[in-house]
Amino acid sequence: MTARSAPFDPGPDGHATHLVLENTQGHLSLWPAWRETPEGWTARFGPARHDACTRLVAADRP
């Protein structure tokens, strides 16, 4: 059985796979680069490696 990756997983190569999105309240979110940006969110960083995006989101938390 082959494991499937979820949309928020790093991906097999880990290169430019994610974005960091920001909403109107200033909240950040990790988002797969291949998915359409949801309404009310804008790309703040990326596309970039999964680990770079997760570090940015984590650094923004109080």
Side-chain angles (χ1 to χ4, degrees), residues 3 6 9-10 12 17 21 24 27 29 33 35 38-41 49-51 53 57-58:
D9 290 344
T17 56
L21 303 183
T24 56
H27 299 124
S29 179
R35 295 199 61 185
E39 187 175 330
W41 293 82
R49 293 174 53 99
H50 180 270
D51 59 337
C53 291
V57 171

Side-chain angles (χ1 to χ4, degrees), residues 5-61:
S5 63
F8 295 96
D9 290 344
D13 61 4
H15 300 289
T17 56
H18 288 78
L19 301 166
V20 174
L21 303 183
E22 183 174 15
N23 68 11
T24 56
Q25 290 84 35
H27 299 124
L28 300 181
S29 179
L30 179 68
W31 195 254
W34 54 268
R35 295 199 61 185
E36 184 177 337
T37 301
E39 187 175 330
W41 293 82
T42 56
R44 177 174 170 190
F45 178 75
R49 293 174 53 99
H50 180 270
D51 59 337
C53 291
T54 56
R55 280 194 306 270
L56 182 62
V57 171
D60 188 60
R61 297 191 180 192

